[in-house]
Amino acid sequence: MKILTILGARPQFIKAGSVSRAISLHNNKVANEEKIKTKNQKLITEIIVHTGQHYDANMSDIFFDEMKIPKPNYFLGIGGKSHGAMTGQMIEKIEEVALKEKPDWIMVYGDTNSTLAGAIVASKLHIKLAHIEAGLRSFNMKMPEEVNRILTDRVSNILFCPTDTAIQNLKNEGYENLDCKIVKSGDVMQDGAMFYKSLAVKPNIEFKKDFILCTIHRAENTDDEIRLKNIFEALNEIAKEKQVILPLHPRTKKILENLKLDINNLTIIEPVGYLEMVWLIDNCDFVMTDSGGLQKEAYFFEKQCITLRDETEWVELVACGANTLVGANKDKILEAYKKNSEFRIQNSELDLYGSGKASENIVKGLWDV
Ligand code: UD1
Ligand code: UDP
């Protein structure tokens, strides 16, 4: 079986890392099997295409190096462009690679422009498409991610869903009547968090007593001056009392450079690698973020999360009390900060995202279609 994996943005390197590891475990197992005849048919060859959507060393290379993710076979170098230019150029280049490699599967992750480009190529060339993190919805069509994930789901042959909610979303949209397979795989980010926890690295920065870990990068916040101002005013105020460590996404950095906001109390650092990030999550008091991935990671490490968005795809975290949605309202952010020091979930027996076996479930699932 040959898989063409398409990735390009930071969270995709982290997610794909776990699946690549499961693929090599699968191949090792097959190699040790006794029935020699079927061995070659059962082996998986993974060809990795990096679109170049994220390209700074600390947004891309660091993950491949630190996490020992297999290096991409193709690097397309398409980043820092408008949605149309980026997605269009990715489609053109991924198509060339797909025609040359003739994979059995194209595999895409999440909801970025790289995801959509891979999905469109697969559907046009009639290559089977596997979507990992399928079925998630924010029900906000203004988000580029919502458009990308809906379009990708619709042309996928197998939809690997991380949660029961994701499955239900697909059922509500009539997916049971479509020619595709829906599988509850669990969440690949949980696999990564469990695997890398013991390898965490303390970043070389000045720490005060306790700290909040914060990230901001979503377009709905960065591209709306009022929202961004409210968020940073609240964070700066909080940072007078408690250290706020903010590894700053380059998108947000560029926008902040042109706004005259008072952010002097914040501990702003460059984006960090995953091993440093895991250390920060594991050692912080709690998390404030608009990231999708970080909301779940906070839960994996039993940290309360304040989400600086109006809605979330990870609704089960809000339902169990681990996550508070505050949008970009300064008063709500400050109020949530005052309440949010202890991790509290209503049912500690909850197994919301699988038990760290999502990647293995995905590799198994591909053989059944
Ligand atoms: C993208 C995804 C978003 C995801 C995020 C993960 C889309 C539409 N959005 O958003 O869903 O949450 O990745 O981090 O796909 N930049 C750099 N260096 C880099 C990368 C980006 O300077 O290595 C700057 C460039 O100015 C670029 C801007 O950030 O134009 C935005 O990058 P882009 O990839 O378009 O979107 P993200 O905001 O990163
Ligand atoms: N992350 C990281 N370094 C950072 C910030 C985030 O390794 O400086 C990790 C984070 O732990 C999570 C992933 O990047 O695993 C989330 O990516 P991001 O927030 O960029 O995207 P989203 O999940 O919102 O799509």
Side-chain angles (χ1 to χ4, degrees):
M1 181 192 289
K2 193 186 224 185
I3 300 173
L4 195 67
T5 294
I6 311 296
L7 35 77
R10 171 168 70 186
Q12 294 167 332
F13 311 140
I14 294 164
K15 292 166 196 173
S18 292
V19 177
S20 293
R21 202 169 47 253
I23 290 174
S24 55
L25 286 173
H26 165 91
N27 283 343
N28 289 343
K29 207 170 139 214
V30 171
N32 292 329
E33 270 176 10
E34 282 171 19
K35 285 183 200 146
I36 314 261
K37 266 192 208 155
T38 53
K39 259 189 197 174
N40 284 345
Q41 290 156 2
K42 282 186 167 181
L43 286 172
I44 299 177
T45 305
E46 186 187 26
I47 307 286
I48 299 178
V49 180
H50 185 327
T51 61
Q53 180 168 350
H54 286 175
Y55 47 88
D56 292 344
N58 58 13
M59 295 291 289
S60 174
D61 291 358
I62 193 169
F63 297 96
F64 293 89
D65 295 340
E66 275 192 354
M67 299 170 77
K68 314 234 177 320
I69 303 172
K71 292 272 189 297
N73 303 78
Y74 294 88
F75 184 77
L76 308 183
I78 305 161
K81 297 181 193 299
S82 68
H83 287 282
M86 188 194 293
T87 314
Q89 288 175 29
M90 285 176 188
I91 292 171
E92 187 179 355
K93 295 286 172 205
I94 295 170
E95 185 183 62
E96 283 171 19
V97 176
L99 286 169
K100 183 169 158 222
E101 294 288 348
K102 300 187 178 41
D104 300 294
W105 284 100
I106 288 186
M107 184 124 89
V108 294
Y109 291 82
D111 50 25
T112 72
N113 290 342
S114 301
T115 315
L116 178 61
I120 290 178
V121 171
S123 65
K124 300 275 179 173
L125 296 183
H126 302 172
I127 298 169
K128 285 184 291 182
L129 179 68
H131 185 202
I132 295 173
E133 266 196 357
L136 297 172
R137 298 289 183 266
S138 65
F139 304 100
N140 176 357
M141 286 300 282
K142 290 213 169 109
M143 284 177 66
E145 293 85 1
E146 184 78 349
V147 175
N148 290 344
R149 59 172 87 100
I150 288 176
L151 298 178
T152 301
D153 279 347
R154 184 61 188 82
V155 292
S156 292
N157 299 83
I158 188 159
L159 298 110
F160 289 112
C161 298
T163 58
D164 291 329
T165 310
I167 302 233
Q168 192 54 49
N169 288 337
L170 294 175
K171 287 184 180 166
N172 293 348
E173 291 173 21
Y175 272 69
E176 281 174 311
N177 303 320
L178 300 178
D179 186 17
C180 61
K181 192 167 176 201
I182 301 173
V183 174
K184 181 166 171 210
S185 56
D187 191 297
V188 289
M189 288 196 103
Q190 172 136 17
D191 304 11
M194 285 167 71
F195 185 82
Y196 288 101
K197 187 173 177 176
S198 62
L199 303 170
V201 173
K202 185 177 182 180
N204 189 14
I205 55 172
E206 198 180 315
F207 288 97
K208 298 190 180 147
K209 193 168 156 273
D210 312 307
F211 68 92
I212 297 167
L213 175 62
C214 178
T215 70
I216 305 287
H217 75 278
R218 286 300 179 106
E220 70 223 59
N221 288 329
T222 59
D223 296 6
D224 181 326
E225 205 174 311
I226 295 171
R227 288 181 71 96
L228 199 63
K229 192 162 170 275
N230 285 343
I231 289 172
F232 274 94
E233 276 181 10
L235 292 175
N236 202 48
E237 188 134 341
I238 292 167
K240 287 179 190 160
E241 282 184 18
K242 201 190 265 285
Q243 187 177 21
V244 176
I245 298 181
L246 200 163
L248 195 59
H249 191 289
R251 174 191 199 105
T252 321
K253 185 178 181 185
K254 283 177 191 162
I255 291 170
L256 284 181
E257 276 162 6
N258 297 321
L259 293 177
K260 299 271 167 285
L261 299 182
D262 180 7
I263 48 172
N264 287 328
N265 299 325
L266 303 174
T267 307
I268 293 187
I269 58 173
E270 288 294 311
V272 294
Y274 188 65
L275 303 186
E276 291 84 353
M277 194 64 183
V278 167
W279 191 94
L280 289 169
I281 304 167
D282 205 16
N283 288 281
C284 70
D285 260 23
F286 58 90
V287 167
M288 298 181 77
T289 192
D290 61 5
S291 160
L294 192 49
Q295 290 175 57
K296 283 175 293 168
E297 288 168 337
Y299 170 78
F300 301 151
F301 288 88
E302 302 195 349
K303 300 296 157 104
Q304 203 66 19
C305 183
I306 298 175
T307 298
L308 304 155
R309 287 182 48 197
D310 296 331
E311 66 281 304
T312 179
E313 301 76 23
W314 308 106
V315 287
E316 52 287 323
L317 293 177
V318 178
C320 78
N323 192 342
T324 314
L325 276 181
V326 291
N329 178 303
K330 191 177 166 189
D331 293 338
K332 274 195 181 172
I333 298 172
L334 292 173
E335 194 188 316
Y337 154 70
K338 290 201 179 95
K339 287 191 197 150
N340 268 270
S341 48
E342 290 299 308
F343 181 61
R344 43 169 203 281
I345 54 169
Q346 268 137 31
N347 179 356
S348 59
E349 305 286 298
L350 288 174
D351 174 16
L352 301 176
Y353 298 105
S355 47
K357 298 228 176 278
S359 312
E360 198 183 316
N361 293 338
I362 287 165
V363 171
K364 279 188 194 141
L366 292 173
W367 294 99
D368 298 336
V369 180

